Amino acid sequence: MSATAIKTDEPVVFHLPEEPHHPEGSSTGLGFWMYLMSDCLIFAMLFATFGVLGGNYAAGPGPKELFDLDLVAVNTAMLLFSSITYGFAMLAMGKNRINQTLVWLGVTGLFGLAFLGIELYEFAHLIHEGATPQRSAFLSSFFVLVGTHGLHVTFGIIWLVTLMVQVKFKGLIPANKRRLMCLSMFWHFLDVIWIGVFTFVYLLGMLR
């Protein structure tokens, strides 16, 4: 019994003649959530490191001698207020009010700068008191954790200013709205991380 081969002149095609196209920016949200999850892993490792090393003072000063909770509370308020004002900016964006959006974004940036200024003052004061990162494992893990968060806030402010310029010249086009939404997720994410820092590092540190 023989098999008959069927010959054809049509080429073998392993893909569609025309690939389906997705709307511009349709995958931005998913991609940004993936980035935030990777950032969560970074901060989880830093929190775990502080949890292990945070009690090793090397006969040096501890949280009770170093931390000023009143100052840290003011700093926390600056970041919380910045999240509120960013929410107002998003509400204004939803109504396509360009100037109002820019005003609230500017206020958010000012609160972010105030947060960074207080944090840099705290670092400078600790270093002036001799509490440098190399003084103990506690201080090393503290500076790395809090400093990494501060670095994220710095990048967030740069991103914020860049978007303000884009909105000013190009308006609230779909691309700019998408970017503002991503920055909103990033900014609120930093707010949540700081609540963890305030609780785990400062409040619990004062109880040790």
Side-chain angles (χ1 to χ4, degrees):
M1 187 173 181
S2 60
T4 302
I6 300 176
K7 296 183 179 181
T8 177
D9 295 332
E10 296 181 2
V12 180
V13 179
F14 296 98
H15 59 84
L16 296 175
E18 183 178 350
E19 295 292 336
H21 296 285
H22 299 285
E24 181 184 356
S26 61
S27 60
T28 302
L30 176 61
F32 199 76
W33 273 111
M34 293 174 65
Y35 160 72
L36 288 182
M37 292 304 101
S38 67
D39 241 10
C40 278
L41 293 176
I42 292 175
F43 279 106
M45 289 187 293
L46 293 178
F47 274 112
T49 302
F50 185 85
V52 173
L53 303 177
N56 300 329
Y57 307 132
K64 292 182 179 179
E65 293 80 23
L66 296 175
F67 293 160
D68 183 354
L69 279 186
D70 292 335
L71 182 66
V72 178
V74 171
N75 209 21
T76 301
M78 294 296 101
L79 200 59
L80 292 175
F81 286 147
S82 73
S83 284
I84 295 173
T85 55
Y86 200 104
F88 289 150
M90 297 303 292
L91 292 175
M93 183 193 74
K95 298 177 182 178
N96 288 316
R97 297 176 179 175
I98 297 177
N99 291 333
Q100 191 174 347
T101 302
L102 290 173
V103 168
W104 284 117
L105 289 176
V107 174
T108 301
L110 291 177
F111 277 127
L113 288 174
F115 173 85
L116 285 178
I118 295 174
E119 189 168 280
L120 289 175
Y121 169 80
E122 180 189 25
F123 281 6
H125 177 71
L126 292 177
I127 293 173
H128 178 73
E129 295 292 325
T132 58
Q134 58 268 39
R135 179 65 181 82
S136 65
F138 154 68
L139 287 169
S140 296
S141 56
F142 166 79
F143 274 98
V144 172
L145 174 56
V146 179
T148 300
H149 179 271
L151 194 61
H152 277 69
V153 175
T154 303
F155 288 145
I157 292 175
I158 295 173
W159 187 4
L160 178 69
V161 173
T162 302
L163 284 182
M164 288 179 66
V165 174
Q166 291 182 337
V167 171
K168 178 67 177 179
F169 288 99
K170 296 185 178 180
L172 291 171
I173 59 177
N176 281 342
K177 288 184 176 181
R178 190 166 60 247
R179 293 161 186 156
L180 286 170
M181 284 294 297
C182 289
L183 180 55
S184 174
M185 290 190 292
F186 179 75
W187 201 266
H188 294 308
F189 166 76
L190 295 181
D191 204 358
V192 172
I193 294 296
W194 180 255
I195 295 299
V197 172
F198 179 70
T199 304
F200 189 61
V201 175
Y202 290 97
L203 292 183
L204 293 182
M206 297 295 286
L207 298 177
R208 291 191 176 187

